[in-house]
Amino acid sequence: MSDLHKEVSELERTSATAARLFDIRRIIGGLFVVYGVIVTIAGISPSDADLKKAEGVHINLWTGLAMLALGLFFLIWMKLRPVQVPDQAPGTPES
C-alpha cells in the first residue's frame, strides 16, 4: 500500500508542476514582452515616411511600451498570485 501512496503523491506533485508550468498568464505575458521588445526597437528610430503616415506620432514606440507594460503586468501577477492546485480533484470520491 505504501508504493501506491508514493505513486499518488508523485502524480500530485507532477500535476501541480504542470499546472504552474502551463499557467496562461505565463504564456500571454511572455508573448507580450517578446513582441513589445520587437515593436519598441522598431519604434525607436522611425523613418520620416512612417512618422508622416502616423501624423507625427511614434506609434510603434508607444505600442511597444504598452505591450511591454502589459506583459510585465501578467508576469508579476503570476509571481504574486501563483496557481493553487486543489487538494482533491472535482468529481473524485473522498478517501
Side-chain angles (χ1 to χ4, degrees):
M1 188 74 167
S2 73
D3 289 336
L4 181 62
H5 184 65
K6 285 180 187 177
E7 285 184 41
V8 169
S9 297
E10 182 63 32
L11 284 174
E12 286 174 347
R13 271 195 302 275
T14 304
S15 175
T17 302
R20 281 190 293 280
L21 182 63
F22 294 109
D23 185 4
I24 192 73
R25 296 173 293 182
R26 178 182 304 239
I27 297 167
I28 292 172
L31 285 174
F32 266 100
V33 167
V34 169
Y35 291 145
V37 167
I38 293 169
V39 174
T40 300
I41 290 172
I44 289 176
S45 58
S47 67
D48 291 334
D50 289 339
L51 278 176
K52 187 174 181 180
K53 244 192 289 187
E55 297 182 5
V57 177
H58 293 267
I59 193 73
N60 285 340
L61 180 65
W62 289 112
T63 303
L65 291 174
M67 290 173 77
L68 275 172
L70 183 64
L72 290 174
F73 167 76
F74 273 98
L75 294 175
I76 291 169
W77 178 25
M78 182 189 67
K79 287 291 184 189
L80 294 176
R81 299 280 311 246
V83 173
Q84 299 295 324
V85 180
D87 293 336
Q88 189 74 0
T92 57
E94 299 269 336
S95 296

